[in-house]
Amino acid sequence: MINTEAAAHFRRLGTITIFAVYFVILVGGIVRASGSGMGCPDWPTCFGQWVPPTDESQLPANYHQIYAERGYENTQFNPVKTWTEYTNRLVGVTIGFLILLTAWSSRIYLKTDKTIFYLAVSVFLLVGFQGWLGSTVVASNLKPLMITLHMLLALFIVALLIYTIARSQRDVIALIDIRPLPDKFRIVLIAAMIMTLLQVAMGTQVREAVDFIAHNYAYIERQYWRDDFPVIFYIHRSFSSIILFTNLWLAWKIVRSVDKKSLLRRIGLSLAALVIMAILAGISLDRLGMPPVAQPIHLLMANLIFGVQFFLFSCLNYASVIAPSPVSMQSSKK
């Protein structure tokens, strides 16, 4: 038997870690939207210091030449961009410690479900690889492909964390009655997940183009960026309508079919809200001159949508296709 208190601690820690990963995705989006990716041109230090400077006078007089020789031409110190990027790194380090604690606390499942332990350790190793990939992103002078790989790996790490936590609660999830849901619900959900990944992939291509456009405009005159958007942007924008209706169908079927207090109902409503917010953020980027605040929000919503879909899929895999017995329901309440 597993110590219930230790198991609850593992789930709480894992849940906090999931939200922390989403937070670092948000911060990363802010870094990219503000053009702060090279706010620290070196890694792991920032301008050769563990605590970055706050004023250009704290740097060597020839620091432009120093970093030009290292392959970073036109390096210009900007305290806001420097500390934005440095905060991103600090948050990343914090998540590393949270992942380590999650992996350590998962050892309680070694005798009952080793898969949970192995998954938690795998996540820890992937986060280490993610840290190395982050340093490669800086070393590559922010090549779009490297940035995209960095983001997709974060998405995969979150999915593994979600599955690990869901698996640790499969006995509770098994009490959920999914019989009222239509037979094709699972198929539509899988299709929605695939469409979300395709949409994210197209979104990364749009972001790569926006990064290039933003650089040409020196991150100003945002109202003109839209004139240079590639064709993939219009495909991405049109595909969002299919994403919207598919996810609204899933949410509607859940709301109509399950009990008001059911976990699935909260998941369905959350999914609908996230899709709507993502589309509204996208519309603001398209119609309101690319406001900087909308870019990281749009990115975060896209990641949250896939996370909620994946959690819903995990719940369906562990939920019951038969009515929970009164005995099991009473034991779960205890």
Side-chain angles (χ1 to χ4, degrees), residues 68 135 255 281 293:
S135 67
V255 171
V293 68

Side-chain angles (χ1 to χ4, degrees), residues 115-133:
T115 301
I116 294 177
F117 173 76
Y118 293 142
L119 285 171
V121 172
S122 297
V123 170
F124 173 71
L125 295 176
L126 282 173
V127 168
F129 178 75
Q130 178 79 326
W132 171 82
L133 188 60

Side-chain angles (χ1 to χ4, degrees), residues 51-72:
V51 178
T54 57
D55 190 87
E56 191 172 17
S57 62
Q58 297 172 295
L59 294 171
N62 64 334
Y63 79 92
H64 298 282
Q65 178 183 350
I66 293 175
Y67 286 99
E69 293 174 354
R70 297 179 183 180
Y72 306 113

Side-chain angles (χ1 to χ4, degrees), residues 38 40-43 45-49 60 62-73 75 138-141:
M38 292 305 293
C40 292
D42 46 354
W43 194 95
T45 57
C46 184
F47 283 102
Q49 304 176 28
N62 64 334
Y63 79 92
H64 298 282
Q65 178 183 350
I66 293 175
Y67 286 99
E69 293 174 354
R70 297 179 183 180
Y72 306 113
E73 296 181 1
T75 299
V138 175
S140 70
N141 203 9

Side-chain angles (χ1 to χ4, degrees), residues 19-37 81-92 95 150 207 292 295-297 299-300 303:
F19 282 104
V21 173
Y22 279 123
F23 181 68
V24 79
I25 290 174
L26 174 63
V27 175
I30 294 173
V31 168
R32 192 167 184 179
S34 61
S36 302
K81 292 185 177 182
T82 292
W83 277 89
T84 300
E85 166 59 16
Y86 187 67
T87 300
N88 180 44
R89 295 184 182 185
L90 290 179
V91 174
I95 287 177
H150 193 57
R207 286 170 57 201
Q295 286 182 274
I297 292 176
L299 172 64
L300 177 63
N303 282 272

Side-chain angles (χ1 to χ4, degrees), residues 209-279:
V210 169
D211 286 346
F212 180 77
I213 296 169
H215 180 73
N216 289 339
Y217 280 93
Y219 291 91
I220 58 176
E221 298 181 325
R222 289 174 172 266
Q223 67 272 20
Y224 300 116
W225 295 8
R226 187 178 182 277
D227 298 336
D228 298 329
F229 281 177
V231 175
I232 191 67
F233 164 76
Y234 299 98
I235 299 174
H236 177 73
R237 185 182 64 180
S238 300
F239 195 55
S240 64
S241 60
I242 302 176
I243 299 285
L244 173 64
F245 291 121
T246 303
N247 285 280
L248 287 182
W249 183 89
L250 292 170
W252 176 248
K253 290 300 180 182
I254 290 175
V255 171
R256 287 287 301 273
S257 304
V258 304
D259 184 79
K260 291 183 178 181
K261 297 182 180 180
S262 173
L263 173 64
L264 289 184
R265 183 184 176 89
R266 295 195 294 271
I267 295 174
L269 292 174
S270 298
L271 179 60
L274 289 170
V275 172
I276 292 172
M277 286 190 288
I279 290 178

